[in-house]
Amino acid sequence: MVGSSHEALHRIFQKDPALLTRALQRVLHVPFPEPHEIAAMNVDLTEIEPVERRVDTLLRAETDEGTYLLVVESQGKVDDRKRGSWPYYLSYLYEKYRCEPVLIVITQNSATARWAAQPIRLGFPGWHSLTVRPLVLGPDNVPVITDERQAEQDVPLAVLSAMTHGRGPRAAPILESLATALKTIDPDSAAVFVQFVDSCLADPQAKQMWRDLMTAIQYFWRHPLAEQVREEGREQGLEEGREQGRAQAKAEMVLRVLEWRGIPVPEHVIERVTTCDDPDQLELWAQRAVRATYAEDLFTEGP
């Protein structure tokens, strides 16, 4: 189970290695050759037992132009120690495998992205013995995907968009389009992507919206992370009896989705939702809440 944004940001490329080369080509416009095959490799770069060195994710890409090692580093903040470790990683990998290494840094922070993109030059001015130029994926270049069709065309890229931009006013349309796109792929892959996004949402409001969306489409409750949410619900007294607790939780979810989307909710709507004890009816209203224009749209038949 992914427990942090650091882990999720690089493990998405283990889940879908081809996403990394698509990101290089489409986001960074780097003419990286199309791979025939991409395989995950051992991330342990330890050379002497007391000094342990590990990259976050390491992939081998076979192309017409040769074999490349794609080194993916998830970076949460500025860390000047990387000026030593990143050149070490690349030199060690080249020496061990005799393949060209490529360093890709992914971050959710614009300032960290600008820092990571700066070349690392070792040597003296005018004659650098070694230069490392990281390729950086971050909020300033990863596309903001809010269109459902675009999200469905490349679900992993839509997941990366949500992981990178899942905060502030842009979060709602990004998460909503991704929630719809997840219904077009197999449930096991969808469950993994759900966890990646959940781990990267630092904004509590965005995280709650994401969990509400996943509940509405019945993905989230099949995921291990759901047990944590159910436990939180128990602590808040939302499960006072199996059926009663289930209905109460769904009613609160319906109202929370409307509130999060900025839709005014009149008292008569609140009363009708909170007094409903039919979980199936509340489930239907939760699905409508994701697309409603007005609160009364919950009770309107039709698409």
Side-chain angles (χ1 to χ4, degrees):
M1 179 174 173
V2 176
S4 68
S5 61
H6 173 92
E7 200 174 355
L9 282 170
H10 70 85
R11 279 188 56 185
I12 186 176
F13 298 115
Q14 297 177 14
K15 171 64 180 172
D16 184 356
L19 171 64
L20 187 57
T21 57
R22 293 200 302 275
L24 293 179
Q25 295 164 351
R26 301 177 192 177
V27 178
L28 300 180
H29 305 293
V30 174
F32 191 85
E34 195 66 35
H36 307 302
E37 176 186 354
I38 301 181
M41 299 178 67
N42 190 333
V43 299
D44 191 348
L45 306 185
T46 305
E47 192 170 13
I48 302 174
E49 188 171 350
V51 182
E52 181 177 320
R53 297 182 186 269
R54 293 178 183 270
V55 296
D56 287 334
T57 287
L58 180 61
L59 304 171
R60 185 184 68 249
E62 303 287 350
T63 76
D64 286 338
E65 299 178 18
T67 300
Y68 295 89
L69 302 179
L70 305 179
V71 184
V72 185
E73 285 282 281
S74 173
Q75 195 65 30
K77 60 182 180 180
V78 173
D79 184 357
D80 286 331
R81 292 176 300 176
K82 297 298 183 178
R83 288 181 53 82
S85 58
W86 284 345
Y88 171 85
Y89 295 162
L90 301 182
S91 299
Y92 176 86
L93 288 169
Y94 181 78
E95 174 63 22
K96 182 174 182 178
Y97 296 105
R98 291 294 168 175
C99 300
E100 300 293 341
V102 180
L103 174 62
I104 301 101
V105 179
I106 180 166
T107 181
Q108 296 174 288
N109 183 278
S110 295
T112 302
R114 290 191 294 270
W115 162 81
Q118 298 175 6
I120 300 172
R121 296 186 175 93
L122 304 181
F124 60 87
W127 192 271
H128 300 113
S129 302
L130 177 65
T131 300
V132 175
R133 298 178 60 197
L135 295 166
V136 181
L137 294 168
D140 296 329
N141 55 18
V142 172
V144 176
I145 298 179
T146 58
D147 180 76
E148 292 177 7
R149 293 184 179 180
Q150 186 180 0
E152 291 173 3
Q153 290 172 357
D154 194 337
V155 175
L157 186 60
V159 173
L160 185 63
S161 177
M163 293 163 63
T164 309
H165 301 286
R167 65 177 63 190
R170 295 184 295 184
I174 293 173
L175 297 178
E176 289 174 0
S177 64
L178 176 58
T180 300
L182 285 175
K183 293 186 284 188
T184 67
I185 65 175
D186 69 275
D188 290 339
S189 293
V192 174
F193 289 143
V194 166
Q195 187 182 3
F196 286 161
V197 174
D198 191 89
S199 297
C200 287
L201 294 176
D203 183 343
Q205 195 172 32
K207 185 185 287 285
Q208 187 60 61
M209 177 60 175
W210 177 242
R211 293 182 174 185
D212 291 343
L213 287 168
M214 293 302 95
T215 303
I217 63 175
Q218 296 183 331
Y219 268 128
F220 195 65
W221 299 109
R222 293 202 298 266
H223 195 275
L225 198 59
E227 182 57 36
Q228 174 186 337
V229 179
R230 285 196 288 267
E231 184 61 32
E232 292 172 359
R234 294 187 189 100
E235 293 174 359
Q236 297 170 11
L238 298 181
E239 293 193 7
E240 303 167 355
R242 183 166 297 182
E243 286 300 316
Q244 180 183 358
R246 181 175 170 222
Q248 184 179 351
K250 286 182 177 292
E252 292 202 3
M253 179 196 66
V254 172
L255 298 176
R256 195 160 52 231
V257 170
L258 293 174
E259 179 185 359
W260 195 89
R261 295 185 62 223
I263 297 175
V265 185
E267 285 297 327
H268 71 274
V269 173
I270 296 175
E271 182 178 1
R272 184 171 176 181
V273 171
T274 55
T275 57
C276 178
D277 59 2
D278 182 351
D280 293 334
Q281 181 64 66
L282 289 164
E283 179 71 36
L284 177 61
W285 290 345
Q287 294 176 19
R288 291 176 181 171
V290 175
R291 290 286 176 264
T293 302
Y294 303 100
E296 289 79 0
D297 292 344
L298 297 180
F299 317 127
T300 303
E301 298 293 337

